[in-house]
Amino acid sequence: MNISFLLNGETVDLAEVSPTTTLLDWLRLDRGLCGTKEGCNEGDCGACTVMVQDAAGLRAMNACILFLPQLHGKAVRTVEGIRADDGGLHPVQQAMVDHHGSQCGFCTPGFIASMATAHANGAMDFNDRLAGNLCRCTGYAPIIRAAEAAAKTPAPTWITGDLAAVTAAASDEAAPALPGSSDALAALLEKDPDTRIIAGGTDVGLWVTKQLRDLGPVAFLHRCEDLRQIEVTDDSIRIGAAVTIEELRAVIFAHHPDFAEMLRRFGSAQVRAAATVGGNIANGSPIGDSPPALIALNAKLHLRKGDKRRTIPLEKFFLDYGKQDREPGEFVEALSIPRQPDRLAVYKISKRFDQDISALCGAFNITVEDGKVTDARIAFGGMAGIPKRAHHVEAALIGETWGAEAIAQAWTAWEKDYAPLSDMRASANYRLEVARNLLTRYYLEDLGARTRVLEVQP
């Protein structure tokens, strides 16, 4: 596979690239750019963070689970390329020196890349921007102080030059594994239905770095612009399969802010910049965080095989653990959410607030009219082998007066809907008890109680 991208301001043309070579390995082993570190090699620690830019903007991303073909037509800056052409330090680098933000220095290059990206984008939510960068010796206080100090300085001008070069380098001529549209992808999958689809790679990347799997033939979706669109109409919100979690978060906030808040905890800024909505659904994980909320919102899934398309309720897509309603050569094209009054609350329960896999994730969308429950859609991840609705609980609530008695009446219905497993994240009893309690929490929040960690004040 032949690819071309910009690295630290210089064009790189690569021929016969292995599609599953990660950017991190290539930087360190082939280019000798060892500033970008390997820590966890699974997108958690942020030591490998680099800056990636294309027409959609500038993002911090994890090089350890970023495959080289995903960079075609883009610009990359490593820590070596963040300083000025004359060797002068970038404002965030100087601020880290001034505020003693580095001790052993292993994590520092990743912090610099994340901070420089936030600096260029004018982002001031540093706790969120740096949640995907771990430091175990300096402590975060001096790093945050450095980010705050750097924010007062202007962004370097080289960003404009990178964007112009990326725009000029973007070409329609690419390998078949880099389809430029959903039509090209459909044709590719019809010819070879066993092709592995890679969108963000935040899940598949670990198959390579941790499991050392051979993925076989692959196709990357980042050039399929028609799969990266969000269309909001009077009736629905249609979300392309290759829309990133961060892009969805920005749009969905105006319609269902609690969903957007959960997506903030979906993963780090680096993960949200890569992970896609379609990927989070298509991998069929029982602990994927977006399906419960989407099921509670009555989302429809749009599937395509060749020129044939079909639409199914999202909840029907998940058949059993590791099994989805998707034929060979068929792919997720989009999903759509009907426009509706916002009654959605989403609760992600995990041991860590940031960057943790859910023990369970519950979504509640309950309609109350004249004091009575007229409709209810409740869905959970982490409570079964698939993301699953609580049909018996819903039935126990509908028609009842909204309150503590209705919630108590539904108490035994939970066991009819879910028989969760015990594992390293939580016991079965814990999961069931928390799910029950979350319905009470939803009711209390409906009355105006403040139950969120970041809302409760001493």
Side-chain angles (χ1 to χ4, degrees):
M1 184 184 301
N2 300 337
I3 62 171
S4 177
F5 61 95
L6 209 65
L7 176 64
N8 294 335
E10 297 181 359
T11 300
V12 174
D13 296 309
L14 300 179
E16 300 182 5
V17 170
S18 168
T20 55
T21 298
T22 65
L23 174 60
L24 177 62
D25 284 348
W26 180 81
L27 286 172
R28 294 179 61 84
L29 300 176
D30 288 51
R31 301 290 289 196
L33 294 175
C34 296
T36 305
K37 304 302 184 187
E38 178 181 319
C40 65
N41 212 21
E42 59 186 43
D44 278 339
C45 74
C48 68
T49 303
V50 296
M51 304 171 71
V52 178
Q53 187 173 20
D54 58 17
L58 180 65
R59 303 175 295 279
M61 302 186 78
N62 292 308
C64 68
I65 51 173
L66 193 62
F67 297 121
L68 283 178
Q70 292 176 277
L71 301 172
H72 181 68
K74 300 184 181 184
V76 179
R77 288 270 173 175
T78 67
V79 67
E80 293 90 348
I82 289 177
R83 64 186 179 186
D85 292 338
D86 61 5
L89 295 180
H90 185 285
V92 301
Q93 294 173 315
Q94 185 62 55
M96 286 285 274
V97 174
D98 295 341
H99 293 271
H100 309 287
S102 177
Q103 288 190 43
C104 82
F106 189 88
C107 68
T108 304
F111 270 100
I112 292 296
S114 291
M115 293 165 69
T117 302
H119 185 263
N121 290 330
M124 303 290 287
D125 52 340
F126 301 122
N127 287 339
D128 283 348
R129 296 300 103 190
L130 299 178
N133 293 86
L134 304 185
C135 178
R136 288 295 177 264
C137 61
T138 304
Y140 297 97
I143 297 173
I144 295 296
R145 286 196 290 268
E148 292 172 343
K152 301 172 184 177
T153 62
T157 57
W158 55 253
I159 291 176
T160 304
D162 270 8
L163 184 57
V166 167
T167 304
S171 171
D172 291 333
E173 296 181 7
L178 295 169
S181 67
S182 59
D183 289 342
L185 175 63
L188 174 64
L189 293 176
E190 271 200 309
K191 182 178 180 181
D192 189 351
D194 292 328
T195 296
R196 181 80 61 187
I197 299 174
I198 301 177
T202 54
D203 188 14
V204 175
L206 274 66
W207 299 359
V208 174
T209 63
K210 295 299 183 180
Q211 300 175 19
L212 306 180
R213 286 170 59 176
D214 179 3
L215 301 184
V218 296
F220 297 91
L221 302 191
H222 63 277
R223 296 181 69 249
C224 298
E225 289 297 327
D226 55 339
L227 296 180
R228 299 180 63 182
Q229 305 302 312
I230 300 178
E231 182 183 6
V232 180
T233 68
D234 292 339
D235 299 322
S236 69
I237 304 171
R238 183 182 172 93
I239 304 156
V243 167
T244 67
I245 296 298
E246 186 63 23
E247 290 166 341
L248 172 62
R249 188 172 80 99
V251 171
I252 207 67
F253 180 82
H255 308 279
H256 301 288
D258 210 55
F259 187 14
E261 175 61 17
M262 186 279 290
L263 292 176
R264 185 171 69 88
R265 297 179 57 204
F266 179 97
S268 65
Q270 294 96 314
V271 169
R272 295 196 305 267
T276 63
V277 180
N280 197 232
I281 292 169
N283 70 5
S285 171
I287 50 173
D289 283 337
S290 68
L294 293 168
I295 290 171
L297 291 171
N298 196 22
K300 301 296 188 293
L301 194 64
H302 306 289
L303 298 162
R304 178 177 179 180
K305 182 177 182 179
D307 293 330
K308 296 180 180 179
R309 290 177 169 89
R310 64 187 177 108
T311 298
I312 61 173
L314 176 58
E315 63 198 89
K316 300 294 185 182
F317 178 69
F318 306 103
L319 302 177
D320 202 349
Y321 180 77
K323 185 178 181 181
Q324 297 85 46
D325 182 8
R326 184 165 60 90
E327 300 177 7
E330 190 173 39
F331 64 95
V332 176
E333 189 171 37
L335 64 94
S336 57
I337 303 170
R339 296 288 299 276
Q340 58 197 279
D342 180 39
R343 292 283 298 168
L344 180 71
V346 189
Y347 306 111
K348 177 182 171 78
I349 306 300
S350 57
K351 292 181 179 179
R352 299 192 307 267
F353 184 84
D354 289 306
Q355 266 200 272
D356 203 359
I357 296 173
S358 295
L360 66 157
C361 183
F364 296 79
N365 188 12
I366 298 175
T367 303
V368 179
E369 296 179 2
D370 298 326
K372 290 188 178 294
V373 177
T374 58
D375 192 21
R377 294 185 65 89
I378 301 171
F380 270 84
M383 294 286 286
I386 58 173
K388 186 180 178 186
R389 277 183 70 182
H391 287 289
H392 289 90
V393 176
E394 294 169 0
L397 292 173
I398 293 174
E400 300 298 322
T401 299
W402 181 224
E405 290 185 9
I407 293 171
Q409 182 173 304
W411 193 261
T412 58
W414 287 97
E415 293 180 349
K416 298 177 182 178
D417 285 315
Y418 301 114
L421 298 176
S422 294
D423 59 21
M424 62 182 295
R425 295 186 187 95
S427 68
N429 288 338
Y430 174 85
R431 286 186 162 107
L432 197 57
E433 184 175 355
V434 169
R436 286 174 167 142
N437 290 340
L438 288 179
L439 177 58
T440 300
R441 179 177 175 178
Y442 179 85
Y443 169 63
L444 292 175
E445 288 187 348
D446 208 19
L447 296 179
R450 299 169 69 87
T451 70
R452 308 299 174 110
V453 171
L454 299 183
E455 293 176 349
V456 177
Q457 299 295 326

